[in-house]
Amino acid sequence: MTNVEEIILNNIKYRRSIFPASYMEKEIPNEIILTLLECANYAPNHKLTQPWRFTVFKGKGLEKLGNKMADLYKEKTSPESFLQKKHEVTKDKILRSAAVIAIHIKYSDSIPRWEEIAAVGGAVQNLWLAAKAKGIGGYWSTPNTISEMGTFLNLGEREECLGLFYLGYHNEDEREGLRNPVEEKIEWVES
């Protein structure tokens, strides 16, 4: 195995969700975020519809996003279920991040919705692997209130927000993912 092959395979094997509590106070330059999104842009997609769209929040934009998400949690949660701690954490994890990317989709008329969503999932995986390669932690969050983000993100009629991707530098040790053996998930048909 070549060094390049080993790096690629290990990057996939050791990609983990790294949460904002582990992020350092260190800015991610716009050029690096653009590189990550360029990698996302090379995801496979049927008929080249390229359904992924991104809104990047940094600096004061993080404050706007944090306030919006905390406000949505308060608006959409019944008074008996509302937790002040969760309200604070909702905003805090955004503010602890160097950047948060809203992941949205623009549906075409020619491709089944599930294929468009799968393509966006591939784009996010590319983004995640590129972030790992750059030493940046990340995780994809899909809070219950994400469906209420259309107006805030200026989404059109055939667009939908599929989550938030948090980014930040971190000092966590690399660790292999916990997975059941792949052999348990394979059926071979050879004749």
Side-chain angles (χ1 to χ4, degrees):
M1 182 180 326
T2 69
N3 190 35
V4 171
E5 290 171 327
E6 189 174 340
I7 288 168
I8 291 169
L9 295 175
N10 281 335
N11 199 36
I12 293 168
K13 193 174 185 179
Y14 287 91
R15 185 225 35 91
R16 302 277 54 83
S17 291
I18 307 291
F19 301 101
S22 298
Y23 297 167
M24 302 182 297
E25 283 191 41
K26 182 178 176 184
E27 183 179 344
I28 301 173
N30 288 352
E31 298 78 33
I32 290 178
I33 293 174
L34 182 58
T35 297
L36 304 181
L37 294 175
E38 284 173 344
C39 289
N41 197 43
Y42 281 95
N45 59 104
H46 194 179
K47 293 189 179 181
L48 293 176
T49 60
Q50 303 174 56
W52 44 80
R53 300 293 185 270
F54 310 102
T55 302
V56 180
F57 293 90
K58 288 183 69 184
K60 296 277 187 200
L62 290 170
E63 204 169 302
K64 288 179 185 175
L65 178 62
N67 288 335
K68 179 63 174 178
M69 293 304 295
D71 289 348
L72 281 173
Y73 168 72
K74 190 171 188 175
E75 287 172 25
K76 301 298 177 182
T77 305
S78 65
E80 56 276 359
S81 297
F82 179 81
L83 299 171
Q84 185 61 36
K85 177 91 172 147
K86 183 167 181 174
H87 183 264
E88 293 165 12
V89 167
T90 298
K91 184 175 179 179
D92 183 60
K93 70 181 181 179
I94 291 170
L95 296 177
R96 291 181 64 99
S97 303
V100 176
I101 302 172
I103 307 294
H104 32 108
I105 187 168
K106 184 172 185 174
Y107 296 105
S108 69
D109 291 325
S110 59
I111 303 297
R113 287 173 67 91
W114 75 267
E115 289 188 27
E116 302 280 47
I117 293 168
V120 172
V124 173
Q125 177 73 346
N126 283 2
L127 162 65
W128 215 328
L129 291 170
K132 163 123 181 31
K134 293 281 191 183
I136 298 169
Y139 99 102
W140 190 359
S141 173
T142 54
N144 292 336
T145 55
I146 207 70
S147 62
E148 305 293 328
M149 294 291 288
T151 302
F152 180 77
L153 294 171
N154 298 314
L155 300 184
E157 186 178 315
R158 298 196 48 81
E159 293 180 277
E160 177 182 17
C161 184
L162 297 180
L164 301 174
F165 196 87
Y166 295 75
L167 290 168
Y169 288 103
H170 64 94
N171 286 323
E172 281 197 22
D173 291 334
E174 199 170 67
R175 63 194 190 282
E176 189 175 336
L178 301 174
R179 300 291 189 272
N180 294 335
V182 71
E183 292 81 7
E184 295 176 5
K185 304 166 188 170
I186 300 172
E187 179 181 338
W188 298 93
V189 180
E190 298 187 50
S191 61

